[in-house]
Amino acid sequence: MGIREKLEKIVRLTKQAFSMMYYNFKAKAYKNNPKYKDLWIISERGTEAKDNGFCFFEYLCKNHPEINARYVIDKEAAGDDYKKLLPYEDRLIPYGSFEHKIAYILAKYAISSHAGFLEPWSYRLYKLIIDRRDKKIFIFLQHGVILHDLSEFLAKNKIKADLFVTTTKREYESISSSKYGYSKGEVVQTGIARYDKLNEFELKDEILIMPTWRKNIITPSYMKNEGRDVNLFKGSEYFKRFNSLINNKRLEKALKEHNIKLIFYPHYEIQPYIDCFDCDNSELILASKDRYDVQGLLKSSRAMVTDFSSIQFDFAYMRKPQAYYQFDSIEEHYKMGYFDYEKDGFGPVYSDEDDLVDYLIKLMDTDFKLEDKYLDRINKDFNIRDSHNCDRIFDEILKIKK
């Protein structure tokens, strides 16, 4: 980091510090307001209602109306997601608003599926200046099952989580290890909230392609002041490989013969670049996050192609076939964890487009039969499978003592 970047960071954090102190002072006037009493404040990225944050919020509203739960979201940025929240409109807080900042300071529980989004300021700075006595309880609902080594980002000293939700036995063991630094009882195996909705689904004649992102070819959403470099993205192997796959003529022919649609849903961080992809396949649907729901696509699709995304666990949970398209190394994006794709994966691994297309055609020809060896791996990993993940999360939250 150069001198200019360091100075800009100092200025930014100084502004945040003064903002925190100002709102901390203002919050005293609202301390006894029933609206903020025993408040559970919940969010995802502040722009969505489709992940574990929304699922747990909805669960609380329906099953524990006595809990003062409120959801933080930007109405304008949320698009169709906001419609899901209309039944709970009196429990919504506009993201970034005066109310958001007051609510965050006064909340008893801060609950989020993503670290670093619910809070209006830097969480580490907030803990250092305002909440040094650890009064606020942070529940990390998680975004998915962690299979890679994310200790650099999600360790206790990074996100200060008081409760860390996990799903599979091996994930629980990984996050409980000394590498992440959590104390006994702070990591729990409950299953993530959205899995409660994966036990019942209706299939459509669709194959889903849903890869993760690459941080070195795009401008991440958290760098809000930086512009998109479309040329960098279009020059990447990532773009070229997936653009080629979704327009593969042999695959298009097979899709037509079996009357199946191919849905390409880029990761949240790749969504701003969706217009870069070609659509030369008559059976292809380029799915934008504003029009398509991730969980809906996962539930309806008969097969899936991903690369390194943790979404593979959602699909495996439903016992449906999938394949991995890995033409680059995971080490360029994440550190390898306990999961070995060749030994532990829920489907075959391919680096060549033609081989992957062969497999997809085979799946169509065999009515999407899941091979026994992959079913065995799925059953081994998911030692918890029911519709009570939210119940368990709720119970674990109530156990926390500060």
Side-chain angles (χ1 to χ4, degrees):
M1 185 182 292
I3 296 177
R4 180 179 176 181
E5 287 80 6
K6 288 181 180 178
L7 288 174
E8 288 176 348
K9 183 177 181 179
I10 291 170
V11 170
R12 184 175 71 253
L13 292 177
T14 301
K15 287 181 179 179
Q16 284 195 30
F18 278 108
S19 175
M20 287 180 208
M21 290 186 284
Y22 169 77
Y23 282 100
N24 190 48
F25 173 77
K26 296 290 287 186
K28 293 177 181 178
Y30 297 87
K31 194 172 183 179
N32 297 317
N33 188 321
K35 186 175 184 179
Y36 300 103
K37 184 174 176 59
D38 293 325
L39 178 62
W40 297 36
I41 188 173
I42 307 168
S43 186
E44 290 173 2
R45 287 186 175 96
T47 59
E48 294 181 306
K50 61 182 63 171
D51 205 330
N52 295 313
F54 170 70
C55 290
F56 188 63
F57 169 72
E58 187 178 45
Y59 162 83
L60 289 176
C61 292
K62 291 180 177 179
N63 296 278
H64 296 283
E66 76 281 3
I67 297 296
N68 184 17
R70 297 184 180 274
Y71 196 85
V72 181
I73 192 163
D74 183 333
K75 180 179 180 180
E76 299 303 319
D80 286 348
D81 275 6
Y82 196 80
K83 296 177 183 177
K84 301 178 190 175
L85 295 162
L86 292 179
Y88 319 108
E89 202 162 16
D90 60 331
R91 289 175 174 254
L92 304 185
I93 295 175
Y95 191 90
S97 65
F98 176 90
E99 185 181 3
H100 177 196
K101 292 165 185 172
I102 297 299
Y104 186 80
I105 290 171
L106 295 179
K108 182 177 182 180
Y109 298 104
I111 305 171
S112 182
S113 58
H114 294 75
F117 287 87
L118 173 57
E119 53 271 20
W121 312 281
S122 162
Y123 186 62
R124 296 177 72 183
L125 191 63
Y126 175 83
K127 297 295 284 187
L128 179 66
I129 296 176
I130 306 297
D131 197 26
R132 279 183 262 181
R133 295 182 182 177
D134 293 323
K135 292 173 288 184
K136 189 181 309 303
I137 299 171
F138 174 45
I139 316 300
F140 187 45
L141 293 177
Q142 264 222 73
H143 173 50
V145 175
I146 294 175
L147 63 160
H148 306 118
D149 180 359
L150 300 186
S151 56
E152 181 182 350
F153 311 102
L154 300 179
K156 176 72 175 183
N157 65 346
K158 297 292 184 181
I159 64 173
K160 308 288 186 184
D162 298 288
L163 192 71
F164 197 123
V165 170
T166 65
T167 300
T168 67
K169 184 174 183 291
R170 288 196 297 168
E171 182 197 25
Y172 167 75
E173 292 170 348
S174 174
I175 305 301
S176 298
S177 69
S178 59
K179 183 181 294 185
Y180 283 84
Y182 289 93
S183 301
K184 185 178 180 180
E186 290 182 332
V187 180
V188 293
Q189 188 191 5
T190 59
I192 51 179
R194 68 172 185 259
Y195 279 17
D196 281 351
K197 298 184 177 183
L198 293 184
N199 293 293
E200 296 181 4
F201 52 89
E202 293 184 10
L203 293 172
K204 295 181 181 179
D205 291 326
E206 300 168 347
I207 293 176
L208 178 64
I209 299 180
M210 190 178 286
T212 190
W213 60 300
R214 303 292 189 276
K215 61 185 176 183
N216 60 334
I217 62 172
I218 61 141
T219 303
S221 59
Y222 52 80
M223 296 177 65
K224 297 177 181 178
N225 297 325
E226 301 291 334
R228 291 191 306 153
D229 189 339
V230 173
N231 291 329
L232 174 65
F233 178 71
K234 293 188 74 171
S236 68
E237 183 182 18
Y238 177 95
F239 168 77
K240 293 173 182 177
R241 289 278 200 147
F242 281 108
N243 194 57
S244 176
L245 174 62
I246 62 178
N247 293 293
N248 185 285
K249 291 304 174 185
R250 197 158 58 90
L251 179 57
E252 180 184 11
K253 180 183 177 183
L255 292 166
K256 282 182 179 179
E257 291 173 351
H258 291 84
N259 195 27
I260 299 217
K261 289 296 181 183
L262 183 68
I263 300 180
F264 180 50
Y265 186 99
H267 185 275
Y268 179 89
E269 296 289 357
I270 302 292
Q271 283 281 333
Y273 302 82
I274 194 171
D275 56 347
C276 294
F277 291 95
D278 299 321
C279 193
D280 296 330
N281 181 339
S282 61
E283 309 308 304
L284 173 66
I285 296 173
L286 290 177
S288 71
K289 67 180 180 62
D290 297 325
R291 294 188 56 198
Y292 289 86
D293 177 70
V294 172
Q295 191 171 66
L297 291 175
L298 289 167
K299 291 169 75 171
S300 64
S301 298
R302 302 192 67 183
M304 183 181 72
V305 175
T306 187
D307 49 0
F308 305 104
S309 174
S310 65
I311 212 75
Q312 63 185 279
F313 282 87
D314 296 56
F315 215 74
Y317 185 88
M318 294 181 282
R319 298 187 175 105
K320 296 192 289 186
Q322 60 183 295
Y324 303 95
Y325 190 30
Q326 298 179 350
F327 46 82
D328 56 355
S329 171
I330 183 60
E331 296 289 346
E332 296 177 16
H333 196 59
Y334 295 123
K335 291 180 181 178
M336 281 298 292
Y338 61 86
F339 194 87
D340 184 304
Y341 285 90
E342 294 287 351
K343 296 178 181 178
D344 305 317
F346 308 120
V349 179
Y350 298 106
S351 59
D352 181 78
E353 180 179 316
D354 286 334
D355 292 340
L356 174 59
V357 170
D358 286 341
Y359 180 72
L360 294 178
I361 293 174
K362 176 185 173 183
L363 284 179
M364 287 184 264
D365 289 340
T366 58
D367 197 29
F368 297 94
K369 178 177 172 55
L370 177 63
E371 295 176 53
D372 289 342
K373 67 177 179 178
Y374 299 125
L375 180 59
D376 290 342
R377 293 178 187 180
I378 291 169
N379 291 334
K380 182 180 178 181
D381 255 7
F382 290 101
N383 59 324
I384 297 177
R385 185 191 293 272
D386 56 30
S387 299
H388 299 289
N389 293 352
C390 286
D391 289 329
R392 284 186 287 271
I393 293 169
F394 180 74
D395 290 342
E396 291 293 343
I397 291 174
L398 294 185
K399 290 179 186 177
I400 300 172
K401 298 188 184 300
K402 280 247 178 179

